[in-house]
Amino acid sequence: MIENPDAGPDQEDSIAAPNRWPEFSFWKLLICGCFAVLLVAAMLLPSSNDNRSPPRTVCKNNLRQLCLAIYNFETEHGKLPPAFTVDVEGNRLHSWRTLILPFIEETALFETIDLSKPWDDPVNAKAHESSPDLFRCPSSKTPSTLTTYLAIVVPDGSFGSEAPRTFSDFTDGTSQTLMLIEVGQEHAVHWMSPYDADEKIIASIGPETKLAHVGSFQAGYADGSVHNVPIDVSPTLLRKLITVAGDDPDDRINF
């Protein structure tokens, strides 16, 4: 081997081992590996807006979005959606849930529906087999196409008059009047069904009701707020809550 006359002892060593790694490279690799693991773990964690919130919170948000959709429907059409549409013979065709689809980002699904045909007609099979997320409580044990979110359809209620109401009809105050209610799973209906909560269903709410949430049910008010109502709520108080113009005290509820 030809020796470099200018090389000192240190230079000779470096030439003999040109690919030697620094002594601390192992620790660098270890640290980098730890960062990589943490990065992957962070990517797998649920984000703040991916609906992995507690079921009761998701359920409350569903009802809040439905109340907002009804509000937006009233703003655009000058009236609330009817509880259901009918044909010339008075047969029920479609629910308010179908009519608000464009207001819950389901316009494409809405456009597949023939509103002149009943909700369960074969021509509406595509929509009938669908299950929009907002109509389903995540704690519900019912089939995915069923909903426990029902409108209150009583003569003096939000959806009970012959003609669709406007919010000016709510003289008890929108913050004091129930519009939607989460019923027991035994009263669940298909989300397209033109049947909702009448006085009999509302009066039946009690300890034996098969609720999705322990001890209470969710209720949406005409002002868009949603509250947990205790299962042992007084029938008298509940009856006051479902009327739009009963001259009831403003402080009748504070759940």
Side-chain angles (χ1 to χ4, degrees), residues 18 25 31 33 38 73 76 83 88 95 111 156 161 170 200 210 219 237 253:
S25 61
I31 293 172
L38 291 173
F73 185 102
E76 182 167 314
V88 293
S95 163
E111 291 176 347
D156 49 357
S161 61
F170 290 64
K200 183 178 180 180
K210 299 177 181 178
L237 176 57
I253 186 167

Side-chain angles (χ1 to χ4, degrees), residues 118-230:
W119 64 281
D120 54 355
D121 189 276
V123 73
N124 291 320
K126 180 177 180 179
H128 190 272
E129 296 168 1
S130 302
S131 52
D133 291 340
L134 281 185
F135 294 132
R136 181 167 178 78
C137 171
S139 295
S140 178
K141 301 299 189 295
T142 61
S144 62
T145 56
L146 300 190
T147 182
T148 52
Y149 301 152
L150 306 189
I152 294 175
V153 183
V154 297
D156 49 357
S158 301
F159 290 87
S161 61
E162 292 184 2
R165 295 194 185 280
T166 67
F167 283 122
S168 62
D169 296 328
F170 290 64
T171 57
D172 282 345
T174 55
S175 65
Q176 298 293 316
T177 306
L178 289 179
M179 190 161 59
L180 305 179
I181 193 170
E182 182 186 17
V183 298
Q185 295 177 74
E186 66 272 28
H187 294 302
V189 300
H190 191 282
W191 73 268
M192 292 181 72
S193 171
Y195 292 90
D196 283 271
D198 57 16
E199 290 192 75
K200 183 178 180 180
I201 290 177
I202 295 170
S204 72
I205 295 176
E208 302 303 317
T209 304
K210 299 177 181 178
L211 296 172
H213 311 291
V214 178
S216 66
F217 58 92
Q218 310 262 25
Y221 289 73
D223 67 346
S225 63
V226 179
H227 299 279
N228 290 321
V229 180

